[in-house]
């Protein structure tokens, strides 16, 4: 059966709910879907609805199919648009290697700890990819990395300096004082 005919048959029972949903949903994208549905209920052609709502016929057909399959809930569900990954798998491997085996100081950053801000700067400098800190944390999770790899912000220890420092800190037993001569 024709889409438009099926939709017009549902019109009488759904008009009150349509009005309530139109007032409840303030987002323009959802209201456009509702207005397109109402226009079809009122007998407007699909071409006319496409022109008035500024959408392509395929988009309108998708909206109508979702309404026919799942009602208003499916029609008003948030639309997800798949986006291509900015950080392809090869770059992810390189980023993981850098985070695990290099320090920010190796890339001219005045720090020995990777932070989201440092990684953002590195990605822009290396590949021209501006990613948000939230997206970076998601990528760290996907790569199996913690958000805090280290809590220090100083260079690698020098063994000789460290030994001298530890020796100075060690508590040494007090030397016995010689007994006074009797």
């Amino acid at each position: 059966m024709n889409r438009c005919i099926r939709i017009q048959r549902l019109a009488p029972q759904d008009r009150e709910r349509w009005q309530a949903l139109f007032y409840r949903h303030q987002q323009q994208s959802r209201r456009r879907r509702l207005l397109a549905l109402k226009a079809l209920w009122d007998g407007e052609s699909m071409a006319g609805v496409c022109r008035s709502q500024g959408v392509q016929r395929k988009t309108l057909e998708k909206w109508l199919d979702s309404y026919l399959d799942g009602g208003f809930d499916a029609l008003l569900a948030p639309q997800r648009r798949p986006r291509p990954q900015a950080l392809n798998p090869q770059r992810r491997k390189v980023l993981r290697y850098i985070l695990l085996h290099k320090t920010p100081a190796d890339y001219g950053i005045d720090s020995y700890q990777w932070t989201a801000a440092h990684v953002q700067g590195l990605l822009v400098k290396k590949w021209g990819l501006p990613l948000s800190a939230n997206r970076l944390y998601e990528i760290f999770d996907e790569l199996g990395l913690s958000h805090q790899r280290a809590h220090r912000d100083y260079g690698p220890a020098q063994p000789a300096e460290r030994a001298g420092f530890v020796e100075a800190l060690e508590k040494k037993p007090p030397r016995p004082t010689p007994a006074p001569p009797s």
Side-chain angles (χ1 to χ4, degrees):
M1 182 183 293
N2 187 346
R3 241 187 233 111
C4 292
I5 295 171
R6 289 173 51 200
I7 286 174
Q8 287 174 351
R9 285 188 181 170
L10 293 172
Q13 64 195 22
D14 284 347
R15 284 226 185 234
E16 284 183 29
R17 183 142 187 250
W18 180 93
Q19 190 69 46
L21 290 171
F22 187 78
Y23 288 133
R24 183 184 316 152
H25 294 285
Q26 300 296 315
Q27 289 179 329
Q28 186 63 24
S29 60
R30 291 181 179 179
R31 282 192 165 187
R32 282 175 64 195
R33 292 180 231 158
L34 289 169
L35 288 171
L37 181 64
K38 184 177 184 292
L40 287 171
W41 283 345
D42 294 341
E44 195 172 332
S45 69
M46 293 212 20
V49 173
C50 289
R51 271 193 306 277
S52 67
Q53 296 302 319
V55 296
Q56 293 183 2
R57 186 176 180 94
K58 267 194 175 307
T59 303
L60 181 61
E61 289 173 355
K62 183 179 169 187
W63 291 351
L64 299 177
D65 288 341
S66 65
Y67 170 71
L68 290 172
D69 291 339
F72 286 114
D73 293 334
L75 177 66
L76 298 174
Q79 301 292 313
R80 299 281 180 203
R81 292 186 187 107
R83 288 180 30 186
Q85 291 289 326
L87 208 56
N88 63 29
Q90 181 182 1
R91 287 182 176 173
R92 283 177 184 246
K93 287 179 183 177
V94 171
L95 177 63
R96 188 171 199 280
Y97 177 82
I98 289 171
L99 294 176
L100 291 176
H101 302 290
K102 302 285 185 176
T103 63
D106 297 336
Y107 294 92
I109 301 169
D110 188 26
S111 176
Y112 286 93
Q113 178 182 359
W114 284 112
T115 64
H118 294 143
V119 175
Q120 281 176 319
L122 176 71
L123 292 177
V124 168
K125 183 177 167 183
K126 194 167 180 73
W127 295 307
L129 293 175
L131 293 178
S132 69
N134 287 339
R135 181 62 186 131
L136 284 175
Y137 291 133
E138 291 172 2
I139 291 172
F140 294 162
D141 285 338
E142 292 166 10
L143 294 175
L145 301 172
S146 69
H147 296 186
Q148 289 182 308
R149 203 179 114 208
H151 293 284
R152 60 182 173 81
D153 195 16
Y154 45 86
Q158 302 295 327
E161 287 179 25
R162 184 168 184 234
F165 179 74
V166 169
E167 191 174 305
L169 282 179
E170 287 179 347
K171 293 184 179 179
K172 299 191 180 191
R175 291 187 180 181
T177 56
S182 24

